C-alpha cells in the first residue's frame, strides 16, 4: 500500500516537471519571437541597426552602407523653402528694390537737373530785366514824391518802402555780378592752364580732391553770406540794429562770389588738362575718384533725411559737372578755331565722364537703400518736396525767391558758376559788328524762351507731384510768428495749423504767379520756414523702432521729426545725426 502511494507521488512530480519544462520551452520561444519582432521594428539610421540586433541583421546593415546609397541620398535629398517664407520674401523684395533704384533715382535726378537749369538760366535772362526794372523804380522815386502815398503823376501808391525787398535783393545781385566780372578780367586763364599742366599727375589728383571739398565748403557758407546780406539790406528799420551794416556784408558777398568763381575756374582748368593729356591717365584717375565715393558712403548709417541731403548734393554735383564739361569744350574749340571735327574727338571722353558719374550714383544709392532698409518709393517723396519748394515760391505770400530756395535746398549757388561761364564765353567769342550784336540778341531771346518754357513745364509737373503726395493743404498754411530770441529754441517750435473757414477759401483763390504784398499791419517778423519737409520723417534716437510685417514688406514706425531741424546744405549730406 505504501509503495503504491509513493509511486503515485513520483508520477505526479514527473508530470509537473514535464509541464514546467514545456512552459519554459514555450516562454523561450515567445521571447525569441519578441526579439525578432523588436529588431525588425528598430529605426534605421544611415542604413544599420542597433548593436543589440542579431548577426543576420548586422550583416544586412553592413551591406546597406554603400557609396552608391550615400550618393543617391545626397542627390535626392530635399528641403522646403516655405518653412522660412518671410525671410526669402524679404530677400526678394530687396532685389526688386535694387532693380527699381536706377529708374526712381534718375527720375529725381532728371527733375532736379531742370530745377538747377531753371535757377541757372534765371541769372542770364530774368535777373538783368529785374535789375533794370528796380533801377527804373529807383530813378523814378522823385516823380512819386519819395514817401508820398499816391504819386501825383503816375497815380500809383508808393507805400512805406523806397523799394520792395525783392527789388533790393535784385539790385544787390546785379552789382555783385558786375563787380566780380570786372575783377575776373585780371585773372589769366592761359597762365593758370600752363601752371596746372606743369604739375605731376599725383599732385593734380590731390589738387582736384581738395577743390571738390573746398567747393562744398564754399557752397555751405556762401549761401549764409548771401542770406545775411539780403536780410541786412531788407530788415525793417524799426528794429534795433544788431548787425555790422550793409556795406561790410556786401563786400563779404563780393569776396565770396569772386573766390568761389576762381575755385571753379581752377577745377575746370584741371579737368581741361586731364582731357588734353596724351595718355589720359589723369582723366582715368579722376574718374576712379568717383568710385572711392562709394566706399565713403555705402557703409554708413543713413536715415531718410540724410539720404535726401545726399541726393540733393548729387543733383548739384551732376549739374556742376555738366557746366564744367561745357567750359572745357568751349576752351578746346577756341584753341582749334571752332573746328567741329575736334568736338567729335572730345565726345568719347565726355560720355565716359558722364557714364561714370551715373554709374557711381546708381550703385551708391542702391546699396545705401539696401543696407538701411529704405524703399525705392522714398525718391518720389524727395521729388515732391522739391516740387513743393517750387510751387510755394510762386505764391503771393512767398518769403523767398525760387533761385534762393534751390540754393538753400541743394547747395547750388548759381552766381559763381554763371560768372565763370560769362567770363569764358566773352573771352572765347569775339563780338564785332552789327551782325554779331544781332546774333547775341537772338541768343538772349532764345535763352529767355527756354527759361520761360522750362519754368512753365516745371510748374505744371510740380503741381502734379504735390497733388500726388497730398500736400495741397500745406500750400495754404501760414508760417508761425516768433521773436528772434525764441526762434532757435525747440520748445517754441509749433506745427503749422490749417486755416479755417473763409481764410482757407481766400488763400486757395490767390494766384501762385502774383507778386507778394508787403503787410505793414503785422510788425512781428515771420520765420522763413517751409512745409515741404513735414511728410519726410526720421526715427527718433530716444525710442526704438517698431517693425511690423505686412505681407512681404517691412514698415518702420517711429516718431516724426521735421527735416527743418537739420542742415540743408550739401556739406552735411554724409553726416550721421
Amino acid at each position: 500500500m505504501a509503495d503504491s502511494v509513493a509511486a503515485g507521488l513520483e508520477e505526479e512530480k514527473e508530470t509537473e516537471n514535464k509541464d514546467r519544462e514545456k512552459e519554459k520551452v514555450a516562454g523561450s520561444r515567445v521571447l525569441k519571437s519578441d526579439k525578432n519582432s523588436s529588431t525588425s521594428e528598430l529605426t534605421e539610421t544611415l542604413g544599420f541597426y542597433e548593436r543589440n540586433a542579431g548577426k543576420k541583421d548586422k550583416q544586412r546593415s553592413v551591406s546597406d552602407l554603400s557609396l552608391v546609397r550615400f550618393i543617391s541620398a545626397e542627390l535626392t535629398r530635399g528641403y522646403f523653402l516655405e518653412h522660412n517664407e518671410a525671410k526669402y520674401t524679404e530677400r526678394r523684395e530687396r532685389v526688386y528694390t535694387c532693380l527699381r533704384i536706377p529708374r526712381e533715382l534718375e527720375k529725381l535726378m532728371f527733375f532736379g537737373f531742370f530745377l538747377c537749369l531753371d535757377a541757372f538760366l534765371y541769372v542770364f535772362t530774368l535777373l538783368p530785366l529785374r535789375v533794370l526794372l528796380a533801377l527804373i523804380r529807383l530813378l523814378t522815386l522823385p516823380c512819386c514824391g519819395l514817401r508820398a502815398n499816391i504819386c501825383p503823376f503816375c497815380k500809383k501808391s508808393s507805400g512805406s518802402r523806397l523799394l520792395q525787398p525783392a527789388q533790393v535783393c535784385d539790385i544787390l545781385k546785379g552789382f555783385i555780378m558786375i563787380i566780380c566780372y570786372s575783377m575776373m578780367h585780371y585773372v589769366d586763364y592761359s597762365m593758370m592752364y600752363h601752371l596746372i599742366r606743369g604739375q605731376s599727375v599725383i599732385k593734380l589728383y590731390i589738387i582736384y580732391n581738395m577743390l571738390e571739398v573746398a567747393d562744398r565748403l564754399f557752397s555751405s557758407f556762401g549761401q549764409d553770406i548771401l542770406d545775411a546780406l539780403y536780410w541786412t539790406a531788407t530788415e525793417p528799420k524799426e528794429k534795433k540794429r544788431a548787425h555790422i551794416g550793409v556795406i561790410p556784408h556786401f563786400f563779404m558777398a563780393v569776396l565770396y562770389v569772386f573766390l568761389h568763381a576762381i575755385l571753379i575756374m581752377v577745377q575746370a582748368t584741371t579737368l581741361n588738362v586731364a582731357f588734353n593729356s596724351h595718355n589720359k591717365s589723369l582723366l582715368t584717375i579722376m574718374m576712379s575718384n568717383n568710385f572711392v565715393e562709394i566706399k565713403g558712403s555705402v557703409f554708413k548709417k543713413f536715415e531718410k533725411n540724410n539720404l535726401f541731403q545726399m541726393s540733393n548734393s548729387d543733383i548739384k554735383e551732376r549739374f556742376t559737372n555738366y557746366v564744367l564739361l561745357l567750359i572745357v569744350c568751349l576752351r578746346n574749340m577756341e584753341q582749334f578755331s571752332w573746328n567741329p571735327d575736334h568736338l567729335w574727338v572730345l565726345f568719347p571722353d565726355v560720355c565716359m565722364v558722364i557714364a561714370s558719374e551715373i554709374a557711381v550714383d546708381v550703385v551708391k544709392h542702391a546699396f545705401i537703400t539696401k543696407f538701411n532698409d529704405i524703399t525705392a518709393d522714398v525718391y518720389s517723396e524727395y521729388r515732391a518736396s522739391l516740387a513743393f519748394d517750387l510751387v510755394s515760391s510762386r505764391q503771393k505770400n512767398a518769403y523767398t525767391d525760387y533761385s534762393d530756395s534751390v540754393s538753400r535746398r541743394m547747395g547750388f549757388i548759381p552766381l559763381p558758376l554763371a560768372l565763370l561761364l560769362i567770363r569764358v564765353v566773352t573771352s572765347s567769342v569775339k563780338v564785332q559788328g552789327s551782325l554779331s550784336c544781332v546774333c547775341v540778341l537772338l541768343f538772349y531771346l532764345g535763352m529767355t524762351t527756354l527759361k520761360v518754357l522750362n519754368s512753365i513745364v516745371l510748374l505744371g509737373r510740380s503741381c502734379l507731384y504735390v497733388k500726388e503726395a497730398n500736400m495741397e493743404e500745406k500750400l495754404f498754411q501760414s508760417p508761425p510768428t516768433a521773436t528772434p530770441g525764441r526762434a532757435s529754441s525747440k520748445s517754441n517750435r509749433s506745427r503749422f495749423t490749417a486755416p479755417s473757414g473763409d481764410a482757407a477759401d481766400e488763400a486757395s483763390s490767390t494766384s501762385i504767379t502774383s507778386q507778394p504784398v508787403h503787410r505793414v499791419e503785422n510788425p512781428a517778423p515771420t520765420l522763413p520756414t517751409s512745409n515741404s519737409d513735414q511728410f519726410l520723417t526720421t526715427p527718433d534716437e530716444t525710442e526704438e523702432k517698431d517693425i511690423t510685417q505686412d505681407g512681404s514688406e517691412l514698415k518702420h514706425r517711429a516718431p516724426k521729426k521735421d527735416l527743418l531741424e537739420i542742415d540743408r546744405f550739401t556739406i552735411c549730406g554724409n553726416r550721421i545725426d
Side-chain angles (χ1 to χ4, degrees):
M1 188 72 181
D3 293 334
S4 62
V5 172
L9 291 174
E10 289 178 359
E11 290 178 358
E12 289 179 1
K13 288 181 180 180
E14 289 177 358
T15 53
E16 288 179 0
N17 292 332
K18 289 180 181 180
D19 293 335
R20 289 177 182 178
E21 289 179 359
K22 291 180 181 180
E23 289 179 358
K24 288 181 180 181
V25 171
S28 63
R29 290 178 181 177
V30 171
L31 290 175
K32 288 181 180 180
S33 62
D34 292 338
K35 287 182 180 180
N36 293 331
S37 63
S38 63
T39 54
S40 63
E41 293 176 356
L42 288 175
T43 58
E44 181 182 2
T45 58
L46 294 180
F48 58 91
Y49 298 104
E50 298 293 336
R51 293 182 178 179
N52 54 359
K55 281 186 178 182
K56 294 182 180 180
D57 297 330
K58 287 183 179 180
Q59 292 177 356
R60 291 177 183 176
S61 64
V62 171
S63 63
D64 291 337
L65 288 176
S66 62
L67 181 62
V68 177
R69 182 178 178 83
F70 179 78
I71 293 176
S72 63
E74 289 294 324
L75 293 177
T76 58
R77 180 171 53 87
Y79 50 89
F80 301 95
L81 297 180
E82 60 266 17
H83 293 167
N84 200 355
E85 181 181 358
K87 177 182 177 181
Y88 291 105
T89 305
E90 181 184 357
R91 298 295 176 86
R92 184 175 61 187
E93 292 299 326
R94 287 183 179 181
V95 174
Y96 292 163
T97 300
C98 290
L99 295 178
R100 289 180 56 195
I101 288 298
R103 182 168 59 90
E104 297 296 332
L105 177 63
E106 289 306 316
K107 284 182 180 179
L108 176 64
M109 291 290 178
F110 190 75
F111 183 71
F113 172 80
F114 282 99
L115 291 180
C116 294
L117 180 63
D118 190 70
F120 190 64
L121 291 177
Y122 171 82
V123 179
F124 299 98
T125 57
L126 298 185
L127 182 60
L129 298 178
R130 290 177 63 92
V131 172
L132 183 61
L133 292 177
L135 291 176
I136 293 174
R137 165 71 177 173
L138 186 63
L139 294 176
T140 56
L141 281 178
C143 166
C144 296
L146 293 179
R147 294 184 179 272
N149 292 329
I150 300 177
C151 176
F153 301 100
C154 60
K155 304 298 182 183
K156 293 183 179 180
S157 176
S158 61
S160 59
R161 288 178 177 265
L162 299 178
L163 292 174
Q164 293 294 328
Q167 294 175 335
V168 175
C169 295
D170 292 335
I171 292 177
L172 290 175
K173 291 178 182 178
F175 279 113
I176 289 174
M177 292 292 293
I178 293 173
I179 294 175
C180 292
Y181 178 74
S182 61
M183 295 170 64
M184 288 290 291
H185 277 288
Y186 294 97
V187 180
D188 192 355
Y189 186 87
S190 300
M191 183 185 68
M192 183 182 297
Y193 175 82
H194 290 288
L195 181 64
I196 294 176
R197 189 175 184 180
Q199 306 298 324
S200 62
V201 176
I202 300 301
K203 284 185 179 179
L204 292 179
Y205 174 72
I206 296 174
I207 289 173
Y208 193 78
N209 289 336
M210 293 173 60
L211 291 176
E212 285 188 348
V213 176
D215 180 59
R216 295 188 179 185
L217 294 175
F218 270 79
S219 299
S220 177
F221 189 62
Q223 189 59 42
D224 293 340
I225 294 176
L226 295 176
D227 288 339
L229 172 64
Y230 301 152
W231 174 241
T232 304
T234 60
E235 187 179 7
K237 304 302 179 183
E238 292 82 6
K239 300 181 64 176
K240 183 180 178 180
R241 177 171 175 174
H243 53 81
I244 60 177
V246 178
I247 295 178
H249 280 284
F250 178 76
F251 283 115
M252 289 172 59
V254 170
L255 181 63
Y256 155 71
V257 173
F258 176 71
L259 293 179
H260 199 176
I262 295 295
L263 188 144
I264 300 175
M265 177 181 285
V266 176
Q267 197 171 0
T269 306
T270 308
L271 189 61
N272 194 8
V273 171
F275 268 79
N276 294 330
S277 60
H278 298 288
N279 54 2
K280 306 292 182 181
S281 59
L282 179 60
L283 183 61
T284 305
I285 293 175
M286 292 169 61
M287 289 173 55
S288 64
N289 186 38
N290 293 330
F291 291 92
V292 178
E293 185 181 355
I294 297 178
K295 178 182 177 182
S297 303
V298 166
F299 302 104
K300 290 183 179 180
K301 181 182 177 182
F302 276 86
E303 300 294 344
K304 292 176 66 175
N305 50 12
N306 301 112
L307 184 59
F308 185 38
Q309 291 173 350
M310 192 181 68
S311 302
N312 292 330
S313 177
D314 292 338
I315 294 172
K316 176 252 181 184
E317 183 180 357
R318 186 176 294 189
F319 183 82
T320 305
N321 288 336
Y322 291 161
V323 177
L324 292 179
L325 291 174
L326 176 62
I327 293 174
V328 169
C329 292
L330 288 176
R331 296 299 300 177
N332 281 274
M333 293 295 292
E334 180 195 2
Q335 297 299 324
F336 287 89
S337 301
W338 300 98
N339 186 8
D341 295 335
H342 184 68
L343 184 61
W344 296 108
V345 177
L346 297 173
F347 186 74
D349 295 334
V350 173
C351 293
M352 188 166 54
V353 172
I354 295 175
S356 65
E357 187 72 26
I358 295 175
V360 167
D361 290 340
V362 168
V363 173
K364 180 175 63 176
H365 283 265
F367 280 97
I368 286 176
T369 53
K370 177 184 181 297
F371 292 151
N372 296 276
D373 294 331
I374 300 176
T375 61
D377 297 331
V378 73
Y379 292 101
S380 61
E381 298 179 4
Y382 297 160
R383 187 176 55 190
S385 178
L386 296 177
F388 186 90
D389 290 339
L390 174 60
V391 176
S392 60
S393 64
R394 306 285 181 175
Q395 284 185 310
K396 185 176 181 180
N397 57 347
Y399 58 85
T400 183
D401 186 65
Y402 168 66
S403 60
D404 295 330
S405 176
V406 172
S407 301
R408 297 185 186 98
R409 175 67 70 183
M410 298 184 182
F412 172 69
I413 304 177
L415 293 182
L417 197 60
L419 180 64
L420 177 60
L421 187 59
I422 293 173
R423 172 69 176 85
V424 171
V425 170
T426 53
S427 62
S428 302
V429 181
K430 304 298 180 182
V431 180
Q432 296 177 354
S434 59
L435 182 60
S436 300
C437 295
V438 172
C439 292
V440 171
L441 180 61
L442 292 177
F443 183 73
Y444 174 76
L445 293 178
M447 282 199 308
T448 305
T449 305
L450 178 62
K451 167 68 174 67
V452 173
L453 291 177
N454 188 32
S455 300
I456 292 174
V457 174
L458 280 178
L459 186 59
R461 299 300 297 178
S462 299
C463 293
L464 180 62
Y465 294 150
V466 170
K467 185 177 180 180
E468 291 177 354
N470 298 324
M471 300 171 62
E472 294 175 312
E473 297 180 356
K474 298 179 182 179
L475 289 172
F476 311 116
Q477 295 175 358
S478 58
T481 59
T483 58
R486 297 181 180 179
S488 59
S489 62
K490 289 186 178 180
S491 60
N492 294 323
R493 288 176 182 167
S494 59
R495 294 279 184 180
F496 295 108
T497 56
S500 59
D502 299 334
D505 298 336
E506 182 181 357
S508 61
S509 63
T510 58
S511 175
I512 61 175
T513 59
S514 58
Q515 295 294 330
V517 178
H518 177 67
R519 299 180 181 179
V520 186
E521 64 273 8
N522 188 11
T526 59
L527 288 176
T529 56
S530 172
N531 298 337
S532 60
D533 307 315
Q534 290 185 356
F535 76 100
L536 292 173
T537 59
T538 179
D540 196 358
E541 296 178 356
T542 58
E543 298 187 23
E544 296 181 354
K545 294 181 180 178
D546 298 331
I547 303 176
T548 59
Q549 183 176 354
D550 185 8
S552 62
E553 295 182 357
L554 293 177
K555 298 181 180 180
H556 299 273
R557 297 180 181 179
K560 292 185 177 181
K561 180 180 177 182
D562 289 345
L563 281 180
L564 295 175
E565 299 179 4
I566 62 174
D567 194 2
R568 289 181 172 182
F569 297 110
T570 57
I571 190 62
C572 302
N574 295 330
R575 185 183 64 187
I576 301 174
D577 292 333

